[in-house]
Amino acid sequence: ALLTASGYAAHIVCLTVEDPDNYDSPNFLRGFAERELRPLGHRVTIIAGEKILPTRFDGFRAAMKDADLLIVFVRRATPPREDIEAIRAHLAAGKPLVGIRTANHGFVPPAKAPPLAAGLASWPEFVPDVLGCQNTGYETKGMPYKVSVHPQAPANSPLLAGVNAAAIRGHQSMYKVLPLAPDAKPLLLGTAEGNP
């Protein structure tokens, strides 16, 4: 990362997929990069793969060579094994990863998918081993929800700086991600409106 007038500028790689069932993630990440990341001096590379299995992430391994942060917003991807190894190498180097929404089933093919072709990989352990949780289905199905700071969130967490949890509202299904790994620190909690 480079030091700029506004702080450290990082190379942020966003791994996403063009998929109608992935919450318009490529456009979300493009907008987030333009509004929030690039104005701070960060360099952002968005790699948008294709839904068609196997999922091709052209340019991903080259981008990862100097990535400071990886954001994963993919679902049910089965990329070449070398792409998975690039993520593992990033983590082994002590570099951070952020998983957004469908990352909780990011590298698990659909249950009825044919066997993987040679050279392709799934990574079901990504969720418990990297994200520190389990994908156990949906909490709500289209019910509005609100967000609050989790009661166990560390006080003064820099990850919550500038976050107004009460202003976050949603209407898409929330995912169940329990149990959490013992070393996971929850920050935010979604609660369906109308539920006790």
Side-chain angles (χ1 to χ4, degrees), residues 105-130:
H105 47 283
F107 303 105
V108 179
K112 295 182 181 180
L116 293 179
L120 301 180
S122 65
W123 190 7
E125 302 83 12
F126 173 78
V127 177
D129 293 352
V130 177

Side-chain angles (χ1 to χ4, degrees), residues 150-171:
H150 196 282
Q152 297 174 10
N156 302 318
S157 169
L159 296 174
L160 291 175
V163 174
N164 179 0
I168 302 172
R169 314 288 289 174
H171 63 276

